[in-house]
């Protein structure tokens, strides 16, 4: 009895959930999977249950004990928590997914290009690659020169992603935003996305939300101006 | 996102190419070697737009090849975390779908009802870069993201 009791004692100290399960069997309020009092074991009401459970737990603890020898006890407590505290874990899991889903929306543009590079908007690239393509058409009479696949793909992408008539007009509309704390990467994103509403801008470029009070007015004006130069597709 | 950047490369040229068109030969070799490649640091080199400088050539001992340091401007494409891209679906499987934006492939898991050749707007949430390739993971689960148009539908 003492033996079983002592083993049960160590089990309870390791596996919070098992003690809580016992608690719920006794009809005691089971607020959470936190450690209730170890006194449960000595409760005469639950003698019958105490007889059963330690045996079950002993078996699992036997396994758990050997596991803990390997992994320092973490695996065992985790498994025991998994068995008894299912609701707790599920809740944790749910919280976990919403937290990661929230953070996806908040992921900001993380540019780490070397300092001597200039960002190009899709409209600028489309014009640039069009010139090169025309050049290449002349040069491609030479059979040794071949257009790489990535050039064609990038050219196609830039042409299709380009919502506007000319790059120059887009630059004229968006350059003034620099005065209001909008950096190059963000300006480029706005040009590439071609947003229709201000809410779309803030949802897709979350880093602009920080200086919303400063840049909301100018961005709205820019969107209206961009709507005028949007090419009919 | 596209960038205009200045890169440098050491080009080796065999002496048989020396002559009045040395520079042209060097530039065409540069274009052949570099255009279409991908580096983890800069992304895909889409096109070379100009050659800034060709340094003095050094004859390599033992081979006779000459090494020229060449500085050139080029357009590169590199996807970034947090970027919004419009891509075309190329493959759908049980786990999600693959979409292509320019030369880069992006994987999105847990799709809604999606078909090949649909256009989607996605956000890049992670990039994996190795020596010669860039691979991205994206999501369409946030506001203003998702399918733009289905294949064959009028825009």
């Amino acid at each position: 009895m003492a033996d079983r009791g002592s083993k049960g004692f160590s089990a309870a100290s390791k596996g919070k959930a098992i003690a809580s399960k016992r608690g719920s069997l006794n009809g005691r309020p089971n607020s959470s999977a936190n450690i209730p009092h170890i006194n449960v074991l000595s409760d005469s009401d639950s003698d019958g249950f105490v007889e059963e459970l330690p045996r079950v737990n002993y078996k699992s603890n036997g396994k758990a004990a050997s596991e803990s020898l390997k992994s320092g006890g973490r695996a065992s407590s985790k498994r025991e928590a998994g068995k008894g505290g299912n609701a707790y874990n599920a809740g944790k899991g749910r919280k976990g997914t919403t937290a990661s889903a929230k953070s996806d929306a908040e992921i900001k543009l993380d540019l780490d290009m070397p300092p001597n590079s200039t960002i190009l908007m899709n409209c600028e690239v489309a014009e640039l690659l069009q010139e090169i393509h025309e050049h290449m058409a002349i040069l491609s009479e030479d059979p040794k020169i071949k257009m790489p696949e990535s050039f064609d793909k990038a050219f196609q992408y830039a042409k299709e992603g380009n919502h506007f008539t000319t790059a120059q007009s887009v630059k004229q509309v968006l350059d003034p935003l620099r005065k209001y704390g909008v950096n190059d990467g963000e300006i480029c994103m706005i040009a590439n996305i071609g947003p229709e509403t201000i809410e779309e801008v803030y949802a897709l470029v979350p880093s602009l939300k920080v200086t919303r009070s400063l840049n909301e007015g100018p961005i709205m004006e820019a969107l209206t101006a961009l709507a005028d130069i949007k090419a009919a597709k | 996102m596209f960038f205009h950047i200045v890169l440098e490369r050491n080009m080796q040229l065999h002496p048989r190419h020396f002559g009045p068109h040395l520079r042209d030969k060097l530039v065409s070799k540069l274009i052949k070697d570099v255009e279409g490649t991908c580096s983890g640091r800069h992304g895909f080199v889409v096109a070379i737009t100009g050659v800034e400088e060709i340094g003095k050539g050094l004859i390599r001992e033992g081979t006779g090849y000459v090494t020229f340091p060449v500085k050139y401007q080029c357009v590169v494409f590199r996807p970034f975390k947090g970027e919004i891209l419009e891509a075309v679906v190329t493959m759908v499987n049980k786990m999600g779908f693959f979409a292509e934006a320019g030369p880069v492939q992006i994987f999105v898991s847990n799709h809604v009802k999606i078909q090949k050749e649909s256009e989607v707007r996605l956000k890049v949430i992670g990039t994996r870069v190795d020596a010669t390739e860039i691979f991205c993971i994206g999501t369409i689960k946030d506001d203003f993201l998702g399918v733009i148009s289905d294949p064959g539908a009028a825009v």
Side-chain angles (χ1 to χ4, degrees):
Chain A
M1 183 67 190
D3 250 32
R4 227 183 289 147
S6 67
K7 279 196 183 104
F9 183 81
S10 64
S13 64
K14 251 195 248 170
K16 314 171 190 181
I18 291 167
S20 74
K21 214 204 274 181
R22 235 180 268 132
S24 59
L25 281 166
N26 287 342
R28 287 193 195 156
N30 182 16
S31 52
S32 71
N34 290 334
I35 304 176
H37 292 295
I38 312 297
N39 294 341
V40 171
L41 287 170
S42 57
D43 192 348
S44 56
D45 286 345
S46 59
D47 258 349
F49 296 108
V50 169
E51 288 286 314
E52 302 288 330
L53 283 168
R55 238 176 263 144
V56 173
N57 295 333
Y58 176 70
K59 263 190 233 159
S60 65
N61 269 347
K63 253 192 281 174
S66 60
E67 283 295 319
S68 71
L69 285 171
K70 288 181 214 163
S71 61
R74 265 192 290 129
S76 61
S77 55
K78 218 174 164 187
R79 215 186 313 121
E80 285 164 353
K83 263 190 283 179
N86 278 335
Y88 177 68
N89 272 351
K92 210 159 114 186
R94 267 201 304 274
K95 231 193 277 176
T97 34
T98 43
S100 74
K102 202 175 163 192
S103 67
D104 273 356
E106 293 303 315
I107 288 178
K108 300 191 176 148
L109 187 60
D110 179 24
L111 286 176
D112 63 344
M113 284 299 276
N116 64 342
S117 57
T118 35
I119 297 189
L120 292 175
M121 299 183 275
N122 283 0
C123 42
E124 290 175 309
V125 174
E127 288 181 358
L128 201 60
L129 295 186
Q130 181 70 36
E131 276 179 44
I132 295 178
H133 187 73
E134 281 158 11
H135 254 257
M136 281 296 153
I138 304 166
L139 290 173
S140 67
E141 286 155 12
D142 180 355
K144 275 186 281 188
I145 295 178
K146 196 177 57 126
M147 290 312 298
E149 200 186 333
S150 62
F151 177 88
D152 282 331
K153 283 188 180 169
F155 187 30
Q156 203 63 31
Y157 172 73
K159 266 199 300 192
E160 280 171 15
N162 180 19
H163 311 273
F164 307 105
T165 43
T166 61
Q168 190 58 31
S169 41
V170 177
K171 276 193 97 143
Q172 275 176 344
V173 169
L174 291 179
D175 269 349
L177 289 178
R178 284 212 180 94
K179 283 200 297 269
Y180 298 97
V182 184
N183 65 33
D184 286 345
E186 290 159 350
I187 287 181
C188 187
M189 289 256 282
I190 294 175
N192 291 348
I193 296 167
E196 287 167 11
T197 63
I198 190 91
E199 287 311 317
E200 200 176 335
V201 175
Y202 286 115
L204 297 175
V205 192
S207 49
L208 288 174
K209 282 195 258 194
V210 175
T211 49
R212 183 163 185 161
S213 51
L214 186 66
N215 57 36
E216 187 161 358
I219 292 180
M220 286 214 61
E221 286 170 22
L223 288 184
T224 339
L226 285 177
D228 291 332
I229 55 173
K230 238 181 195 169
K233 271 201 167 174
Chain B
M1 212 169 269
F2 289 97
F3 288 84
H4 204 198
I5 189 172
V6 176
L7 294 175
E8 194 169 336
R9 190 182 169 91
N10 287 331
M11 301 296 308
Q12 287 204 13
L13 207 59
H14 191 275
R16 69 168 177 268
H17 299 295
F18 294 173
H21 304 292
L22 173 72
R23 195 193 155 93
D24 295 338
K25 293 244 165 75
L26 204 53
V27 170
S28 43
K29 186 162 196 283
L30 175 74
I31 292 176
K32 208 164 57 144
D33 282 358
V34 164
E35 263 186 15
T37 59
C38 172
S39 87
R41 180 78 187 91
H42 304 115
F44 291 88
V45 178
V46 169
I48 292 179
T49 50
V51 173
E52 258 188 18
E53 190 195 330
I54 300 180
K56 289 191 166 67
L58 283 177
I59 306 174
R60 296 188 75 83
E61 198 178 317
T63 61
Y65 275 84
V66 174
T67 306
F68 293 90
V70 181
K71 259 198 201 147
Y72 58 99
Q73 293 169 352
C74 54
V75 175
V76 296
F77 181 73
R78 196 188 144 177
F80 286 95
K81 193 166 141 176
E83 192 181 342
I84 308 291
L85 293 174
E86 289 183 6
V88 177
V89 177
T90 51
M91 191 168 81
V92 183
N93 64 26
K94 275 188 298 193
M95 306 299 293
F97 64 88
F98 282 91
E100 232 174 56
V104 109
Q105 284 246 1
I106 307 140
F107 177 73
V108 181
S109 72
N110 297 332
H111 55 91
V112 196
K113 222 180 125 194
I114 206 120
Q115 291 177 60
K116 201 170 156 183
E117 309 291 323
S118 302
E119 281 179 29
V120 290
R121 185 191 268 177
L122 52 86
K123 182 178 202 163
V124 176
I125 53 175
T127 57
R128 192 195 73 205
V129 151
D130 62 29
T132 54
E133 217 184 333
I134 303 181
F135 187 73
C136 302
I137 305 284
T139 179
I140 56 170
K141 279 193 198 157
D142 294 333
D143 294 340
F144 300 100
L145 300 179
V147 180
I148 301 171
S149 67
D150 283 322
V155 176

